[in-house]
Amino acid sequence: MRYTKTVLVMSVVILIVIFFSKCFEDNSQKTKDPRGEQYAGMSTCVGCHQKIAASFPHTNHYKTSSAINSSLLKKIADTSKKYFYYMDSSHVRLEENNNVFFQALFVKDAKETSRRFDISFGSAEKAQTYGSWDGDQLFQLPLTYYSGMNTWANSPGFPTNHPKFDRLIINGCFQCHATYIAKEDVPSGPLSVRDKFYPGTLIYGIDCERCHGPAAAHVKFQQENPLVKTAKYITGIKSLSRQQQLDVCATCHSGNDRSAQRSIFSFIPGDTLANFYFPEFGFGSMNNSQADVHGRQMQLLQSSKCFQQTNMTCGTCHNPHEPQRNNNSVFISKCMNCHQQSAHAEGFMKKMEQTKNNAELEKISCVTCHMPLQTSKLISFKDGTAAKNLPYYLRTHRIAVYK
Ligand code: HEC
Ligand code: HEC
Ligand code: HEC
Ligand code: HEC
Ligand code: HEC
Ligand code: HEC
Ligand code: HEC
């Protein structure tokens, strides 16, 4: 009797457990996009936009932030020097324990602190810097990987006399390098606030809807009307005005020195970017042709005759769905769409037609001479002994004749 009762109680308990676990399963399947119900998420685009969805994950936009990819980090760590010495002769060194990576501070060869790599910012095309979570705060790690020299350097703007483990990563980094993270302003002192992040809402990389705006209604309509071959409930970027098209890219490619009224996470195609910032007064605003090559492609392009005398947009040369880096012939053909009349350009074209090798092509490419690599005045790195400045090269978008 006792025995059957126990069995009965046990079965009821098991049933309850099954019932609740089913509930949770259903809940997790219905997990909403943290941006809100208007968003569908990138996985829903794949079925109907196969070609774009196949190439897009190879772009640096998609890769510009991610959870730590331990095999990539291992590769980087294995081929580069793994430490950096500060002027106070302490050093920070990379450590690995079962595929988990740390940056550890050593003073006189004794380990003082160690922080885990949690997030990477930057695709590592040129550089990659890292964040380490502590509750709802994210700290930037002192060492940044600098691809140009395959070396670990002091993170840009960090002091070189001693290592720094207490720099907070701010919302701005996410606004340009991720699709979304929710945050709140909380007091951090009598007169200051800090970002309190909700790490569970983070969507890494730049996804389709970051550029195209919320697409759940579009997905629903096209799924319910498979015979309709024209798009509904999504803004065609090509149909927007030139300034609106430029603003889609300028949200992240025109610097971040203005003071914001609204978060650029909420920017959608058709919006006017200027409305996201407080107006600037006086002469303090940037002289376009002097803009730094880091992050200010918009201003530099605006200062070019090619831009001023045509309807050029970023899309004239860039396809945001495909990796195009180092594809010299694609970019040259873009120049030639407009410069066929130039005898000088035609001359170079003739030479280039005889050059098959991409590296050879680069030497005589229009881009090499008219959009030269320049060093950033905002970003530079220190080498492993903190003595030398390693320059950070970027391609200027002021298209012009250079000496
Ligand atoms: C059920 C099919 C379907 C799904 C799912 C779908 N789309 Fe579309 N989409 C279409 C069709 C059909 C068109 C019109 C033809 C074309 O441009 O490819 C279109 C067009 C577009 C356009 C171009 C609009 C224009 O006027 O130029 C964009 C942008 C777009 N979709 C984005 C997305 C995004 C982002 C997702 C995922 C969140 C998505 N679509 C999911 C079917 C779909
Ligand atoms: C960096 C911004 C950006 C991202 C990210 C992006 N797009 Fe686009 N997309 C554009 C722009 C700009 C255009 C207009 C292209 C033009 O002017 O020809 C466009 C055009 C389109 C079109 C219509 C024209 C075409 O090329 O077929 C579709 C469909 C589309 N995007 C789908 C997607 C999907 C799906 C994703 C994610 C897998 C995605 N886009 C990611 C910027 C972006
Ligand atoms: C949400 C912010 C954001 C938007 C919007 C955006 N970009 Fe970017 N873009 C970035 C970031 C961040 C990088 C650096 C990627 C990395 O880590 O290498 C980048 C890199 C690039 C690159 C270099 C790609 C490479 O192969 O290294 C090009 C070209 C580019 N963007 C063009 C565009 C164009 C064109 C648009 C508009 C259609 C656009 N971007 C919109 C943030 C953005
Ligand atoms: C206003 C937008 C914006 C903000 C804010 C921003 N970035 Fe970037 N970042 C970019 C763009 C655009 C690029 C690539 C092109 C360039 O350097 O001009 C880039 C490049 C990088 C790269 C090098 C990527 C590569 O491999 O080429 C790293 C690393 C990086 N950013 C980290 C950060 C961190 C960390 C923060 C916050 C402290 C931050 N960025 C804030 C737009 C931004
Ligand atoms: C949409 C058309 C268009 C495209 C694309 C274009 N240009 Fe131009 N460019 C012009 C126009 C128009 C002018 C001004 C008239 C002139 O000097 O020929 C110009 C001017 C120039 C000048 C002279 C600049 C000066 O300050 O005197 C150079 C150099 C140049 N372009 C190089 C290039 C290169 C290199 C590319 C490709 C990366 C390119 N252009 C792409 C239209 C274009
Ligand atoms: C080796 C460097 C070099 C290369 C490569 C080069 N240019 Fe130039 N370009 C110059 C110089 C220097 C001038 C100014 C003196 C002159 O007019 O010859 C110039 C002038 C120009 C001008 C303005 C004068 C004119 O002739 O219209 C245009 C436009 C131009 N280049 C476009 C191009 C294009 C397009 C390509 C690639 C097909 C190209 N250039 C390749 C160095 C170069
Ligand atoms: C006239 C053609 C042209 C136009 C228009 C243009 N770009 Fe570029 N862009 C290039 C070329 C060429 C490169 C070098 C590509 C490479 O190195 O593989 C480049 C590289 C970049 C890079 C990477 C920078 C670096 O140093 O690695 C970014 C970011 C970028 N473009 C953003 C933009 C944005 C944003 C716009 C619009 C404001 C724009 N571009 C308009 C031709 C253009």
Side-chain angles (χ1 to χ4, degrees), residues 25 38 136 171 207 253 272 300 304 369 400:
E25 229 171 73
Q38 331 78 280
D136 57 27
N171 195 30
D207 81 349
H253 288 280
T272 298
L300 289 161
S304 315
C369 292

Side-chain angles (χ1 to χ4, degrees), residues 40-42 44-45 48-49 208-209 212 215 218-219 222-223 228-231 234-237:
M42 192 166 127
T44 57
C45 318
C48 301
H49 297 293
C208 317
E209 289 166 286
H212 286 292
H218 166 66
V219 169
Q222 308 296 157
Q223 277 170 347
V228 178
K229 297 294 171 213
T230 49
I234 188 101
T235 306
I237 294 182

Side-chain angles (χ1 to χ4, degrees), residues 72-335:
L72 176 67
L73 197 54
K74 201 175 170 59
K75 224 189 303 171
I76 292 175
D78 285 348
T79 59
S80 58
K81 199 178 59 179
K82 301 181 191 53
Y83 54 85
F84 185 94
Y85 273 92
Y86 290 83
M87 266 129 79
D88 66 0
S89 74
S90 61
H91 75 277
V92 173
R93 151 179 308 277
L94 247 63
E95 290 191 333
E96 189 213 324
N97 187 355
N98 278 329
N99 267 335
V100 183
F101 291 81
F102 301 85
Q103 291 192 12
L105 164 63
F106 287 84
V107 178
K108 296 200 179 84
D109 291 326
K111 182 151 59 172
E112 293 227 325
T113 340
S114 161
R115 291 205 73 124
R116 195 177 63 202
F117 282 81
D118 286 327
I119 294 191
S120 58
F121 286 93
S123 62
E125 176 71 43
K126 292 194 159 66
Q128 194 167 67
T129 197
Y130 307 90
S132 187
W133 284 111
D134 184 0
D136 57 27
Q137 291 180 292
L138 186 64
F139 290 91
Q140 187 171 4
L141 293 176
L143 301 192
T144 290
Y145 176 65
Y146 178 48
S147 332
M149 308 285 273
N150 189 28
T151 189
W152 291 85
N154 199 24
S155 292
F158 276 49
T160 52
N161 48 348
H162 62 90
K164 187 172 169 65
F165 280 84
D166 61 353
R167 177 185 277 183
L168 285 172
I169 285 188
I170 51 162
N171 195 30
C173 310
F174 286 113
Q175 288 192 35
C176 291
H177 286 273
T179 292
Y180 185 71
I181 190 166
K183 70 129 192 172
E184 228 180 314
D185 288 336
V186 294
S188 61
L191 290 168
S192 56
V193 290
R194 68 163 179 92
D195 295 327
K196 172 189 160 103
F197 290 117
Y198 291 88
T201 63
L202 172 56
I203 304 174
Y204 290 112
I206 293 168
D207 81 349
C208 317
E209 289 166 286
R210 183 69 211 267
C211 284
H212 286 292
H218 166 66
V219 169
K220 184 161 184 286
F221 175 85
Q222 308 296 157
Q223 277 170 347
E224 286 168 359
N225 300 277
L227 297 178
V228 178
K229 297 294 171 213
T230 49
K232 269 234 164 137
Y233 305 116
I234 188 101
T235 306
I237 294 182
K238 262 187 265 189
S239 68
L240 297 173
S241 73
R242 183 192 190 196
Q243 188 56 51
Q244 287 170 325
Q245 291 186 45
L246 288 165
D247 279 358
V248 170
C249 312
T251 42
C252 305
H253 288 280
S254 57
N256 59 343
D257 46 2
R258 290 157 293 177
S259 73
Q261 287 194 53
R262 288 162 65 190
S263 163
I264 58 167
F265 275 139
S266 62
F267 182 95
I268 59 171
D271 282 349
T272 298
L273 185 60
N275 296 341
F276 283 66
Y277 298 101
F278 291 104
E280 284 177 358
F281 298 103
F283 300 102
S285 58
M286 189 74 73
N287 173 348
N288 283 348
S289 64
Q290 303 294 312
D292 192 75
V293 281
H294 168 60
R296 290 184 172 74
Q297 287 79 18
M298 186 64 228
Q299 287 89 337
L300 289 161
L301 190 67
Q302 278 175 323
S303 72
S304 315
K305 280 191 192 150
C306 308
F307 180 90
Q308 290 160 359
Q309 299 187 18
T310 67
N311 268 323
M312 177 183 273
T313 63
C314 309
T316 305
C317 299
H318 292 293
N319 177 346
H321 306 134
E322 281 172 22
Q324 290 180 302
R325 190 167 277 280
N326 300 325
N327 201 336
N328 289 305
S329 53
V330 166
F331 291 114
I332 292 164
S333 72
K334 307 289 183 186
C335 311

Side-chain angles (χ1 to χ4, degrees), residues 32-40:
K32 302 225 170 68
D33 191 295
R35 292 168 285 186
E37 282 169 38
Q38 331 78 280
Y39 287 86

